[in-house]
Amino acid sequence: QVQLVESGGGLVQAGGSLRLSCAASGRTFSTYAMGWFRQAPGKERDFVAAIVWSSGHTYYADSVKGRFTISRDDANNTAHLQMNSLKPEDTAVYYCAALLGGSIYSWGSYDYWGQGTQVTVSS
């Protein structure tokens, strides 16, 4: 089992920044990658970004490339999502997830999920 706890969401004006964190505990050595997904009301859960834990290789959705940066803190088993130049369309509940194996981009591949944190961007 892997437990994930997110933090860092909130309300920000368009153009502002937020940093999300996801602290992992439990059998973290089995984790291949950590990902961030988001879900707006009435919409599907969409891939945002992911990082392969061993190599640090990163993946991003086209909609966030150049604005969001995913990183990892090995010592604290924590993944971060730095979000800059936020737009109202970034408003959603953001979830972090742990992937043991499978598609980086597909939410159905992920094995463990955090509780989610709300990000609201006002115009």
Side-chain angles (χ1 to χ4, degrees), residues 66-87:
R67 300 189 297 124
F68 290 11
T69 302
I70 190 170
S71 61
R72 73 194 195 290
D73 176 350
D74 287 334
N76 295 299
N77 287 326
T78 299
H80 301 287
L81 184 68
Q82 178 66 42
M83 305 186 294
N84 298 329
S85 301
L86 282 161
K87 305 175 181 179

Side-chain angles (χ1 to χ4, degrees), residues 18-36:
L18 282 174
R19 188 188 195 214
L20 305 183
S21 297
C22 177
S25 60
R27 296 173 63 87
T28 57
F29 59 85
S30 62
T31 299
Y32 170 69
M34 296 287 288
W36 287 94

